[in-house]
Amino acid sequence: MPSLAPHLPQLICPAGSLPALKAAVQSGADAVYLGFKNATNARNFAGLNFTDSQLKSGIEYAQSQGREVLIAINTYPQAGRTAEWQASIDAAADLGANAVILADLGLLEYATRRHPQLRRHLSVQGSATNFEAVNLAYEHFGISRAVLPRVLTLPQIEYVIKNTPVEIEVFGFGSLCVMAEGRCILSSYATGESPNTHGVCSPASHVQWLPKGDTLDTRLNGILIDHFEKDEPAGYPTLCKGRFEVGDASYYAMEEPTSLNALSVLPELIRMGVKAIKVEGRQRSPAYVSEVTKTLRAAIDAASDPRYSVKPAWQQALSKVSEGHQQTLGAYSRPWR
Amino acid sequence: MNIPAPLIKLLAVLPETPPTVVTVALLNLLRKPLWPEEDFAWWEGRQVRMAVSDLNWGITLSYQNGRFVCGDTPADVTLTASLADYCLIARRQEDPDTLFFQRRLSITGDTELGLTLKNLMDATDFSPLFARLPSRIRMKLNV
Amino acid sequence: MQLTLGPLLYYWSRQATLDFYAAAADWEVSTIYLGEVVCARRHELRTSDWLALGQQLCQAGKTVVYSSQALLESGSDLSSLRRFAKEGGLLEANDLGAVKIARDLAIPYIAGPHLNIYNGATLDWHQAAGAIRWLPSLEASRAAIVATLAEAKLPIETEIFAHGRLPLAFSARCFTARHYDLSKDACEFKCIEHADGQLLKTREGQDFLRLNGIQTQSAACHALIHDLASVTNVGASHLRISPQAQFTAEIVAAYAAALAQPAAATQFDWQRINPEGLVNGYWHGQAGICRKETV
């Protein structure tokens, strides 16, 4: 069931396909976010995302169940091709999306001017880490919500909320970006393609998985990113989660393959006034979406109870689908500082 | 999910051709209802092998001139998993990425081709298929 | 074409920093970008020290710009930036919060390389908001920069990041502290021990990245010294040299000489100046780590 209590944050779940959208709605998401099948969104992966007709039936289905559809058009329009991004905004408006999630200022301006009635959210790719940045987007583009990058501590999130009229959305679960979103071009340094320009990080076309007996090497455009021993859990081939040598040490120099899990701080996020909790994973299967949505739904619904505690079953369910089988509070916790 | 050991043993001695031919025929039958908007251009002339690790055996598929056909090795991409894990994925009971993190599913060769196939499977809406089944069977399958 | 000295990305001792800028006062750069752009914990120079240094450099005839951090998070990050804006007068904004502060004070700003300007509409928005110059994203190719300028309707100066290790990413985590098994809040300021950051190699020994606190850089040095002909004709007015622990004076001299006389580019011993190797892939629309020979 979607949240009934007005003070509970919305649960925003990912969908890379129509079955995933249905899974999210059936498992209790308040809103589903998704993207078109092109370079206009930050999960521009082969075979993923929605054609116009799939999107139309997805929106009809979600809205008939009283849920919202948010369309991510959150890469940066590449000069000379801006019309493709603008056309995606027009399509989102025509199809009756509840909101568009944007990062580029030129595009925000276009959407504000052309479709003033269409709600605008500032994407995490917009890298707004402070209230001044959020307020700039509010004053100029009337954004109703901003998604904060996964780099802020809980007090920093609260400080933003106290200083802006804009609704704040944060990540509750999913693969962890170690770097501030929108401020990372590691992928294009190695491959020529990045989230900002192509909507991809460590694009599959440049990834090689090379088994050698029981071990496995990962290469990105020929560069050795990781080497897994037999039965060692693997992660996505993202640069920031590889093992490298620094000085005499060979280790995960930036971050282990890991997932963010904010279940334990949900009551704190709600108390601060976070308006929406987002789940990462448009590249994941309907099975993942269903599992994670059900768990987060149960947790959010329970979080306003003063006796709230994280149930072992929730933790187990999330742990099973986590990258590298590890979970962290990321920047939300002090130890990470 | 457990598959009985005798069945595994039996399957392991089967030649690859009959299951490949059956799969190809099924795919050609289901292509229109399941993937009405998919042109499979990315599969054209490419060899995709699904290897079943515990059977030491697999099927290789290709796509040519608008039809699925039996493929040849060496494949452009090879997906490898146990028969039980393939069944879990097909029944949507397990997330392929999860199996991948756990090293139960591997993709070698053209990663992008493999990923496209994985995403296609995830994106496939099987309800048009079930809609063709007699209502009694639909009720039994709970679909 | 004018040369500029980009903000110092590393953490040097107070004396080393002051010595560096005392020398820079005599280099052939028209503009010097000052301020701590990576980590607010770095404190060898405080806000007032940077402002005083800026005054000295102004008196030496340099245009001084104060650069914002690329990740503005805390209230104190914002308040020190407001002070730079009020007392310094010219900001390089690397974060939308910095743009807001410049606009509120009605001062001009330079749209830095981390603002993600990839098209003409966004560039025009910044120009209308008060930007007098912009730097394309470090990953932008020459073709992308030309296309952006062609799309933009309003006039603006263009500055290109021409030479230096590329600041590729910013994180909440401090990788230098992590290397020493320290928390970010108690990092013992280990960055000061690495005047050019810490080299990160693949497990096959390939030089790849460079850890610099919360920032990740390229191991190699991005250099357009051999591409100057194609740089000058995109319509850029400024070329940026990014400080490194040694040989920055030689680099500035090399670019000044090569701009005056293209053949001069090959006369410098780049193996000595940047033993980490030169790359220019981004400029040519390739992976940043690539090197394309254009000589």
Side-chain angles (χ1 to χ4, degrees), chain A residues 163-181:
Chain A
N163 287 284
T164 182
V166 175
E167 292 180 0
I168 295 300
E169 178 172 319
V170 301
F171 279 86
F173 182 78
S175 269
L176 188 72
C177 254
V178 184
M179 306 300 177
E181 292 90 337

Side-chain angles (χ1 to χ4, degrees), chain C residues 21-37:
Chain C
Y21 285 109
D26 297 325
W27 299 345
E28 266 184 80
V29 290
S30 65
T31 301
I32 296 183
Y33 292 82
L34 294 179
E36 175 53 53
V37 294

